Amino acid sequence: MVDADPATQVRNARREALGVSLATSAYGISYGALAVAAGLDVWQTCVLSLVMFTGGSQFAFVGVFAAGGLAALPSAVASAVLLGARNIAYGIRMSPVIGSGFWRRLGAAHFTIDESTAVSLAQTDRRARLVGFWVTGIGIYIGWNLASLLGGLLGDVLGDPKTWGLDAAAAAAFLALLWPRLRQRQAIAVGVAAAFVAAVLTPFVMPGLPVLIAAVVALLVGWFNWFDGSRAEPAREVRA
């Protein structure tokens, strides 16, 4: 299949970026409603979106804070930081795409998220990759913050977010990101081990700690690569 001309690729990247921005920004409403229900003010909810701007970390922070209040604040911060650390890997991968220049890289760092990285790397043309990254990152930033504000303002009107299923939005988004990776036994083993540990510990330890302990378990299982099928099968002798 012959790639489209550069101009067409740029248009396709822009269209894809706008579609992803709209879809991702929509569930910022659920974050805003959940944050207010957890006890944050509307302005605190919005500041988190403006400064932190990583949906997974924000949902983790709000979820742990809602479960444990101020006593769970250290765990909430640790959970948010742990989830946000994945953006470091994205930054390394996106560095050649963004190019050189201190201010350019500094600006790009804030918009380096799951969606902007995915849309950018899905393109084959360098210009299209840049357009995909910036349009997705800036588009989601604007949309997410507006949706966070709207969700926060509507929080009291909506009542309990669980009634509307808004509490499941973050879990559904994470599952959508995780599902394509579950193609090998090793990846499935990491996910199952982490989920099992978190589920068992949740009733007994401080909110937020099950996520951190499960992350350590996931790192151990992934590091030792116990379930890598590529090493399980010995080479077969070929007979004439």
Side-chain angles (χ1 to χ4, degrees), residues 15-169:
R15 183 166 54 249
E16 182 179 346
L18 290 174
V20 171
S21 298
L22 289 173
T24 303
S25 299
Y27 69 89
I29 295 177
S30 63
Y31 157 72
L34 288 170
V36 170
L40 298 181
D41 294 331
V42 173
W43 72 268
Q44 293 172 325
T45 299
C46 292
V47 166
L48 273 179
S49 286
L50 287 167
V51 177
M52 187 179 292
F53 185 50
T54 168
S57 296
Q58 291 175 238
F59 275 112
F61 179 89
V62 168
V64 175
F65 183 76
L70 290 176
L73 188 59
S75 296
V77 173
S79 298
V81 170
L82 181 65
L83 284 172
R86 70 190 188 281
N87 289 354
I88 297 175
Y90 295 156
I92 295 173
R93 181 65 182 86
M94 290 303 301
S95 180
V97 177
I98 299 303
S100 59
F102 174 78
W103 294 111
R104 180 196 298 265
R105 288 175 177 261
L106 182 64
H110 199 53
F111 302 119
T112 303
I113 55 177
D114 303 277
E115 294 83 2
S116 62
T117 302
V119 172
S120 177
L121 296 182
Q123 316 305 319
T124 56
D125 178 74
R126 187 180 186 280
R127 173 65 179 169
R129 285 189 166 188
L130 280 173
V131 169
F133 172 82
W134 287 109
V135 174
T136 304
I138 295 175
I140 293 178
Y141 186 76
I142 295 173
W144 181 265
N145 280 281
L146 290 175
S148 298
L149 174 60
L150 180 60
L153 293 175
L154 291 176
D156 293 333
V157 178
L158 292 173
D160 187 357
K162 295 179 181 179
T163 304
W164 305 91
L166 295 178
D167 57 318

Side-chain angles (χ1 to χ4, degrees), residues 198-227:
V200 170
L201 292 179
T202 295
F204 305 106
V205 300
M206 180 184 298
L209 286 181
V211 176
L212 301 179
I213 297 173
V216 174
V217 172
L219 289 173
L220 288 175
V221 176
W223 177 268
F224 288 105
N225 208 21
W226 289 320
F227 297 91

Side-chain angles (χ1 to χ4, degrees), residues 175 177-185 187-192:
L175 182 60
L177 291 172
L178 176 64
W179 192 261
R181 302 175 183 271
L182 300 180
R183 297 178 179 176
Q184 299 178 345
R185 284 182 295 176
I188 295 173
V190 171
V192 170

